[in-house]
Amino acid sequence: NHLEHAAAMDLLRSLEYFHKTVELGSFSGAANALGLTPAAVSKQIGELEKALGTRVFQRSTRNLTLTET
């Protein structure tokens, strides 16, 4: 089904952005490496969190860390 395929591709994209954000430690670093804006990376991470039903990062103005769960 086309919708299932699109959803799977969105999930894979979200996981790629998540991995790059963890690797580089920031949305801006991930965005730069992926050729995107930090807002685009943040939005995709938000979609991943919505799909998972939990936050994957603790965010502050100066820090980004993985959550404990």
Side-chain angles (χ1 to χ4, degrees):
N1 172 317
H2 178 70
L3 290 177
E4 289 174 354
H5 177 74
M9 294 306 294
D10 283 347
L11 179 58
L12 288 173
R13 184 177 303 112
S14 294
L15 291 171
E16 176 188 10
Y17 293 7
F18 171 75
H19 177 262
K20 193 58 73 174
T21 301
V22 171
E23 180 183 18
L24 298 175
S26 69
F27 291 144
S28 59
N32 187 47
L34 294 165
L36 302 167
T37 65
V41 173
S42 179
K43 181 179 178 183
Q44 196 70 39
I45 296 296
E47 291 297 317
L48 175 63
E49 290 174 328
K50 191 159 98 174
L52 295 173
T54 190
R55 301 282 261 175
V56 294
F57 291 112
Q58 293 289 352
R59 298 161 173 85
S60 73
T61 56
R62 299 176 73 68
N63 202 9
L64 182 70
T65 57
L66 287 169
T67 58
E68 297 285 324
T69 59

